[in-house]
Amino acid sequence: IQDFTKHKGTVISVAFSPDGKNILTGSMDKTARLWNLLGIELQVFKGHMDNISSVAFSRDGKHILTGSNDKTARLWDLNGNTIQVFKGHKGVITSLAFSPDGNKIFTGSKDSTACSWDLRGNVIQVFKGHENMITSLAVSSDGKRLVTCSWDKTARLWDMDGKLLQTFKGHEADIEGVAFSPDNRS
């Protein structure tokens, strides 16, 4: 339907805006780009020192998050201004998400941990337990649970205080993605 072709490197991550009118891409060229559905570039987000590995929109569509191989995440306004840099992981940021209320962000990393952060860049909680890199994470729509998955062949369910509620075992290979069901029961 449409090509988005201004990146100078491989596109690694893509997200639709909540209203479905824009697309955000993250690339190995160290930029994220905001596009309309006609493929017109609306904004370029520059500031990361390495590949952008993950992108996300806030629920209200007014902010974006980018995660990078430079071991940081960044919160941006839609004009391309960095609002906050989140530093503290010892590995590449592989996955990220906003809380449903938009007051926290979550990052997963190759350092085998996930973190929750306030919007000022302070770590609220570290989620430890995986034995290999975290590849994906998701926050329940009620904001009460976090699920992570890893190359350790497990998925893990957490409460927001960092308490491990359940470890899901049984996969025979690395797990690359996780999601909650709409009713948060699965």
Side-chain angles (χ1 to χ4, degrees), residues 14-33:
V14 178
F16 273 97
S17 61
D19 63 8
K21 294 180 180 178
N22 294 307
I23 294 173
L24 180 64
T25 55
S27 171
M28 291 179 75
D29 68 8
K30 304 176 191 174
T31 69
R33 295 173 189 259

Side-chain angles (χ1 to χ4, degrees), residues 41-182:
E41 182 182 85
L42 304 174
Q43 188 59 253
V44 179
F45 301 86
K46 294 180 180 178
H48 281 292
M49 303 307 291
D50 206 335
N51 302 339
I52 294 180
S53 54
S54 190
V55 296
F57 276 96
S58 61
R59 182 175 262 181
D60 65 8
K62 294 180 180 178
H63 297 94
I64 67 159
L65 275 175
T66 56
S68 174
N69 288 9
D70 68 11
K71 303 176 187 172
T72 69
R74 287 178 180 254
L75 177 66
W76 309 79
D77 66 22
L78 296 183
N79 294 319
N81 301 307
T82 300
I83 296 170
Q84 186 61 54
V85 178
F86 302 87
K87 296 179 182 178
H89 278 291
K90 292 179 175 68
V92 169
I93 305 292
T94 57
S95 185
L96 43 74
F98 281 94
S99 62
D101 64 8
N103 291 328
K104 290 188 271 188
I105 72 155
F106 296 85
T107 55
S109 174
K110 279 191 175 181
D111 68 12
S112 303
T113 69
C115 293
S116 62
W117 310 75
D118 67 25
L119 298 183
R120 295 179 310 278
N122 301 308
V123 174
I124 299 169
Q125 185 63 54
V126 178
F127 302 84
K128 292 182 182 179
H130 282 290
E131 297 173 11
N132 205 323
M133 68 181 275
I134 291 175
T135 54
S136 182
L137 59 77
V139 181
S140 61
S141 62
D142 62 7
K144 294 181 180 178
R145 304 275 188 275
L146 177 72
V147 64
T148 56
C149 67
S150 170
W151 280 6
D152 67 8
K153 303 175 187 162
T154 69
R156 295 174 189 245
L157 181 67
W158 312 84
D159 71 12
M160 289 301 162
D161 293 324
K163 179 182 177 190
L164 179 62
L165 302 174
Q166 182 71 43
T167 300
F168 301 95
K169 296 179 181 180
H171 283 281
E172 296 178 6
D174 303 334
I175 303 172
E176 294 290 340
V178 289
F180 278 95
S181 63

